Amino acid sequence: MHSARTWCSGLVALVSTTAAALALSPSHARAAAPSFSASLAACEEMRWDLDDTLRELVELRVARGRPLTPTDVQLALRRRGLTVVDPVFRFEPRAPAPVPAPVPAPAPVDDPDAEEARERASVDRAPRGESPLACEVARAVREGRASLRVASPIVALDIDVVAATGARAGARESARSVWRVRASFVEPVDEAASLVVAGLVGAAHTHPLLVQSGRGEVSVPSAPAGDAVAQIVAMTARGPEVVAERWIGDAEAIARARAEADARTPRDLVRGLAEERAALGLPPLAPNASLDRLAARTLATALARGALTHRTPEGLVDDRLQAARIAHRGAGELLARIPAGADAASRFAASPAHRGILGDPSLTHFGAATRRGPDGLDWIVVVLANLAHGSAAPGQPEPARPTRRAPRRP
């Protein structure tokens, strides 16, 4: 486990091309037979919910006549209690019918076996990820072809509201709930993870989640009584990531809040981060040239590798700070790939895990870098730290790092 706390915001468009007919299969599983069996069972358990979600997304896409937003896709999943994150919805409109040839071509012969083989091949060619659970449903419809792919190491995230306290008329924001949260991983892993909880506004709160034999349970004694979002954060090969998300309360209201954040007038990143900190009752982070340079190097590495991840060849953000000889008492990192000109601060604040880092009162300084990525999106790196003694002069070592560290969490 690592002392640095880092989160990646995957806020990108989810519509591109595909080819398929109705099918469902685990599109990736680790080599061990038990993992594949568990992944297959998890995919089968989600089969009908995923198919219903895909049908809803296709109908919405056809009705609008334009690509859907990430929030549209997330809402369709959350309505059915699905907790997977970073879903990939693909839609390929049917091409216009070609002009008939002077001599009609022979009509194709229906071959169910050949069609079934094409379906299986489509699933087998699905992108391979690192998650032990990756499922895809695909469907041919009158208007074209569509697919929905999801991947997660979490097969279930159950939240039961067992008690409510402090509720009174006209003061809903003061009401709190007690939650019982249970998470089930696809594999029987033993690891430490975190549960991050936040309402639509206000601070995010992190709760340690000890996972044993693939099962973790935690009681949240002061959870929001209104609409809220809960996320599971775990360490992956790419670094700490949000691996599951559950919406509690009115899913439509949560989707509207996210859509409003997406549509907010773009702010200068420094001003936006300061305003989001102020909304949490915290002073702004102080800019720091050394952190700016570190963020710029991290972004340059990401662009060269074609992947914006917390774990780079130099390690996580804490490793990179130490390599740069920047003394600090805790650090965090926020990453985003968002549409060009979108408001990055709003995107960070909309996610509990990102809001938790941005709203960490122990962090005092930040550095940031933004560049247009090869996908046409803005790639953003924000490094936050509690600096021990400021920045060292170029080529000079920092004083020894203090022994006091930030709490260990992913």
Side-chain angles (χ1 to χ4, degrees):
M1 197 58 60
H2 212 280
S3 62
R5 292 147 292 165
T6 55
W7 315 106
C8 180
S9 179
L11 303 167
V12 299
L14 296 174
V15 177
S16 59
T17 61
T18 188
L22 180 59
L24 173 65
S25 172
S27 56
H28 175 64
R30 296 179 185 173
S35 296
F36 180 83
S37 176
S39 182
L40 179 61
C43 287
E44 287 298 330
E45 185 175 343
M46 290 192 293
R47 178 186 183 96
W48 302 114
D49 284 331
L50 286 175
D51 191 37
D52 287 345
T53 301
L54 178 60
R55 185 180 297 107
E56 176 185 332
L57 292 173
V58 170
E59 291 174 356
L60 184 61
R61 171 66 175 82
V62 171
R64 290 187 179 176
R66 56 181 170 80
L68 303 182
T69 68
T71 299
D72 293 327
V73 181
Q74 292 163 3
L75 176 58
L77 290 165
R78 302 298 173 252
R79 282 191 181 121
R80 293 165 178 82
L82 295 171
T83 63
V84 290
V85 297
D86 294 332
V88 178
F89 169 63
R90 296 171 175 170
F91 181 78
E92 180 183 9
R94 187 178 300 280
V99 177
V103 178
V109 177
D110 288 340
D111 186 347
D113 292 336
E115 181 64 21
E116 182 180 354
R118 285 195 295 273
E119 294 172 11
R120 286 198 301 268
S122 169
V123 173
D124 290 342
R125 289 195 303 270
R128 293 185 176 271
E130 295 163 348
S131 169
L133 170 61
C135 315
E136 179 172 276
V137 288
R139 176 176 290 276
V141 294
R142 182 181 60 187
E143 297 83 3
R145 297 178 178 181
S147 68
L148 175 64
R149 183 179 185 275
V150 297
S152 175
I154 301 282
V155 69
L157 176 57
D158 299 317
I159 300 178
D160 298 321
V161 180
V162 298
T165 61
R168 62 180 186 275
R172 183 183 180 189
E173 67 278 4
S174 67
R176 312 299 292 178
S177 294
V178 178
W179 289 359
R180 181 190 177 197
V181 181
R182 290 163 294 172
S184 299
F185 283 65
V186 176
E187 294 189 323
V189 295
D190 294 335
E191 63 177 275
S194 297
L195 173 74
V196 188
V197 178
L200 298 185
V201 296
H205 299 281
T206 300
H207 307 269
L209 180 67
L210 179 61
V211 180
Q212 296 181 316
S213 299
R215 300 288 184 270
E217 183 172 332
V218 63
S219 177
V220 180
S222 188
D227 302 325
V229 176
Q231 296 174 331
I232 295 289
V233 178
M235 189 64 72
T236 73
R238 296 161 54 94
E241 294 187 319
V242 175
V243 296
E245 181 176 277
R246 183 77 181 270
W247 293 4
I248 304 299
D250 186 347
E252 303 287 346
I254 296 172
R256 283 196 301 272
R258 291 198 170 183
E260 290 169 1
D262 290 347
R264 189 163 297 161
T265 301
R267 294 172 286 182
D268 171 76
L269 182 58
V270 175
R271 181 170 69 88
L273 295 177
E275 290 178 354
E276 295 298 341
R277 289 264 297 186
L280 298 172
L282 297 173
L285 297 161
N288 180 269
S290 293
L291 297 182
D292 277 337
R293 289 192 291 272
L294 182 62
R297 286 199 300 272
T298 299
L299 182 53
T301 299
L303 290 168
R305 298 171 66 220
L308 184 61
T309 63
H310 292 295
R311 193 184 300 279
T312 74
E314 294 180 322
L316 298 176
V317 64
D318 192 59
D319 302 310
R320 283 177 262 131
L321 283 164
Q322 293 189 55
R325 299 184 177 184
I326 301 175
H328 60 289
R329 300 186 181 96
E333 183 176 62
L334 300 172
L335 306 180
R337 291 168 50 240
I338 62 177
D343 188 53
S346 296
R347 306 300 181 94
F348 290 138
S351 165
H354 297 77
R355 195 191 309 172
I357 295 300
L358 183 58
D360 188 335
S362 72
L363 301 177
T364 57
H365 293 74
F366 85 103
T370 302
R371 285 176 59 183
R372 186 66 49 82
D375 51 10
L377 303 174
D378 283 345
W379 291 29
I380 301 171
V381 175
V382 180
V383 178
L384 309 92
N386 181 335
L387 296 185
H389 301 290
S391 302
Q396 298 297 317
E398 287 279 3
R401 184 176 176 181
T403 57
R404 184 169 69 87
R405 291 172 176 257
R408 287 183 174 271
R409 53 180 177 173

